[in-house]
Amino acid sequence: AKAIFLDDKAISSFRDLAQTHELKGGYVYIDLWASWCSPCLAQFKYNGQLHELLAGYGNIQTVYISIDEDREEKTWRKQIDFHSLDGYHIRASKPLVNYISSALYEGKSVAVPRYLILNKNGDILDANLPRPSQITQLKEVLDQVIGKK
């Protein structure tokens, strides 16, 4: 996989994420997942059509944010390779998990999979995108929040 690992210690919010030099200035598509989550893993088989769709918009980077804990790091890395997850990767730090919990789940535990899109400032444009397996609905939502390709 063409996996690029971002410095998870420097990222504790979506704003921090959008301001990293790798992602600055564009939209960020986030796949929130975990290596132990069967529905998350099942969606990866749709990544070919997902990346093709996202490439059509020009300025969207894919970031996989895993909520795996430290003890699950080996499994997390194996899943990235096994599923050929090209894009940027973060195993969320405690501050980032806490931020995601408050920003998306009203302080409750983080549920995965979840897909969202951020603008260049790290503001959430859509916090509950259709799954990659629902590519037609996903395209409709992206056309609304980003503009037609």
Side-chain angles (χ1 to χ4, degrees), residues 61-103:
Q61 297 291 343
T62 302
V63 178
Y64 296 92
I65 299 179
S66 167
I67 59 166
D68 283 299
E69 299 198 7
D70 291 348
R71 68 179 184 273
E72 296 158 332
E73 178 155 2
K74 274 189 183 150
T75 306
W76 168 64
R77 288 183 180 270
K78 279 184 188 160
Q79 292 287 14
I80 291 167
D81 286 339
F82 181 79
H83 294 281
S84 299
L85 301 181
D86 295 347
Y88 295 96
H89 293 269
I90 299 172
R91 196 166 47 76
S93 62
K94 289 271 185 270
L96 183 55
V97 169
N98 291 339
Y99 168 81
I100 291 169
S101 167
S102 69

Side-chain angles (χ1 to χ4, degrees), residues 42-43 45-47 49-50 115 130-138:
Q43 289 297 311
K45 69 180 169 205
Y46 301 99
N47 273 3
Q49 65 184 20
L50 171 66
Y115 308 90
R131 293 178 176 197
S133 59
Q134 302 167 301
I135 201 78
T136 306
Q137 296 95 315
L138 177 58

Side-chain angles (χ1 to χ4, degrees), residues 5-136:
F5 296 91
L6 297 173
D7 178 8
D8 53 76
K9 288 168 189 49
I11 299 167
S12 58
S13 71
F14 293 147
R15 188 165 301 271
D16 292 346
L17 179 65
Q19 296 306 311
T20 61
H21 73 273
E22 295 91 343
L23 304 172
K24 205 169 187 147
Y27 294 97
V28 179
Y29 173 88
I30 294 176
D31 182 329
L32 193 57
W33 72 292
S35 65
W36 42 260
C37 165
S38 298
C40 300
L41 303 179
Q43 289 297 311
F44 292 150
K45 69 180 169 205
Y46 301 99
N47 273 3
Q49 65 184 20
L50 171 66
H51 291 300
E52 196 176 308
L53 173 67
L54 296 179
Y57 292 94
N59 200 10
I60 300 179
Q61 297 291 343
T62 302
V63 178
Y64 296 92
I65 299 179
S66 167
I67 59 166
D68 283 299
E69 299 198 7
D70 291 348
R71 68 179 184 273
E72 296 158 332
E73 178 155 2
K74 274 189 183 150
T75 306
W76 168 64
R77 288 183 180 270
K78 279 184 188 160
Q79 292 287 14
I80 291 167
D81 286 339
F82 181 79
H83 294 281
S84 299
L85 301 181
D86 295 347
Y88 295 96
H89 293 269
I90 299 172
R91 196 166 47 76
S93 62
K94 289 271 185 270
L96 183 55
V97 169
N98 291 339
Y99 168 81
I100 291 169
S101 167
S102 69
L104 300 176
Y105 299 95
E106 298 171 350
K108 297 179 180 75
S109 30
V110 175
V112 290
R114 182 123 181 212
Y115 308 90
L116 44 148
I117 188 102
L118 310 178
N119 69 13
K120 65 180 195 252
N121 300 318
D123 301 320
I124 299 169
L125 297 177
D126 192 301
N128 206 7
L129 290 172
R131 293 178 176 197
S133 59
Q134 302 167 301
I135 201 78
T136 306

